[in-house]
Amino acid sequence: MADTAALYALTGAVGGAVLATGGAVLGPLLLHRRQAAERQEAHQRQEERERAQQSREDDLRQRQQQFELQVVERDRQAEAERERAADIRARQSATTQRLLRMRATTRAWHLLLLDTHRDLRRGQPVNPEAFSVAWHAARDDVNDAFDDALHHGLWIAHARPARLLAGDGRALPHRRSDQAIDMTTLGEALIDATDAVTECVEAGCPLPENRAAEARSALTQLEVARESLAAYIVGRLAALGVEMERGLEGPTPRS
């Protein structure tokens, strides 16, 4: 009986020792595993946060790149628009200058004839050779002005070439344009008035009344033809957005 009790006591002691030893070993092991799992979980959460942060940074970088590309494209479009506007302004300015030159050269020729006729009416002789040189120079200026306009599509005669533009061998092509007027009337008016005044110059002073009357009539017809040209030019300038007073030249002096 005593031996049995001793055996039980020994077994209990051994079992307790085993349990104590197992607890001493198992406890730290479980703690280590739990800590490792916690570290793994924390590491995973950190990686997820880093991936999320990287994703946000990549998205922000992509948006920044897209914004920069949009800015570059807007700048390119703005520059292209500025270049187009500058080109339009340059072409409008060139067209305006050509139109004004057409008006100025015909006015200069007209004034030469008016001044010569007035001098003769006042009894002041005019040198025929000097007059011939002057009106041929005026005609050449008109030729150059109208040829320049023609080459840039500003002036296309509806009818046969006007004699003033054929004076040096050049001629207008027979084309039509909705923005042109018949050049023949103005050309013939200039030549007719020039012929009439030339006859007056050759007749000398005192100027015969019939010559003076013929020249005066031809100059009146030239005035009407130039008014048509002025109206055409004002209309073209208005189409270009250029405001201009109709009376800018002032009235043409009459003999």
Side-chain angles (χ1 to χ4, degrees):
M1 188 71 177
D3 291 339
T4 301
L7 179 60
Y8 286 157
L10 178 60
T11 301
V14 172
V18 171
L19 290 173
T21 301
V25 173
L26 184 59
L29 180 60
L30 293 175
L31 177 61
H32 178 72
R33 288 181 177 176
R34 186 171 62 251
Q35 290 174 344
E38 290 175 352
R39 285 195 298 272
Q40 180 65 23
E41 184 179 354
H43 181 67
Q44 291 177 349
R45 288 196 299 269
Q46 180 63 26
E47 287 183 341
E48 291 176 356
R49 286 194 294 270
E50 290 177 354
R51 284 194 296 270
Q53 179 64 24
Q54 185 63 43
S55 178
R56 288 192 294 270
E57 291 178 357
D58 291 344
D59 182 64
L60 180 61
R61 188 178 302 108
Q62 184 178 10
R63 292 184 180 183
Q64 180 66 24
Q65 291 175 348
Q66 291 176 347
F67 174 74
E68 291 175 354
L69 289 175
Q70 291 174 352
V71 171
V72 170
E73 177 61 17
R74 285 197 295 268
D75 289 344
R76 186 195 66 78
Q77 293 177 353
E79 180 62 24
E81 185 62 29
R82 285 193 293 270
E83 290 178 356
R84 285 193 294 271
D87 180 63
I88 291 173
R89 287 193 298 271
R91 285 188 281 109
Q92 288 180 337
S93 177
T95 299
T96 299
Q97 293 305 313
R98 292 186 182 99
L99 290 168
L100 294 179
R101 188 182 175 205
M102 290 162 62
R103 186 188 64 176
T105 54
T106 54
R107 175 177 170 83
W109 190 350
H110 189 191
L111 288 176
L112 171 66
L113 300 178
L114 287 171
D115 291 344
T116 301
H117 185 252
R118 184 187 61 244
D119 289 344
L120 291 170
R121 293 273 297 174
R122 291 176 177 177
Q124 300 176 4
V126 175
N127 185 291
E129 292 184 0
F131 173 71
S132 178
V133 170
W135 85 256
H136 277 89
R139 185 201 63 187
D140 290 343
D141 289 341
V142 171
N143 275 329
D144 290 341
F146 279 74
D147 278 351
D148 186 42
L150 169 66
H151 294 159
H152 290 83
L154 294 178
W155 187 275
I156 306 298
H158 283 188
R160 59 185 173 80
R163 283 184 289 161
L164 82 151
L165 291 177
D168 55 0
R170 291 174 288 183
L172 293 172
H174 294 275
R175 294 187 295 163
R176 287 184 177 273
S177 169
D178 291 338
Q179 296 180 333
I181 64 173
D182 190 347
M183 180 57 194
T184 305
T185 301
L186 177 60
E188 291 186 344
L190 280 165
I191 290 300
D192 290 344
T194 301
D195 289 344
V197 174
T198 298
E199 290 178 358
C200 291
V201 171
E202 293 173 348
C205 296
L207 181 61
E209 186 57 36
N210 63 324
R211 296 294 187 191
E214 290 174 0
R216 186 163 49 250
S217 176
L219 289 170
T220 299
Q221 293 302 314
L222 175 55
E223 177 73 20
V224 173
R226 284 196 60 247
E227 288 177 354
S228 296
L229 171 65
Y232 165 80
I233 291 176
V234 169
R236 289 302 305 274
L237 291 176
L240 293 173
V242 179
E243 294 185 1
M244 179 178 170
E245 295 181 7
R246 289 182 176 272
L248 189 60
E249 282 186 346
T252 302
R254 296 184 180 274
S255 296

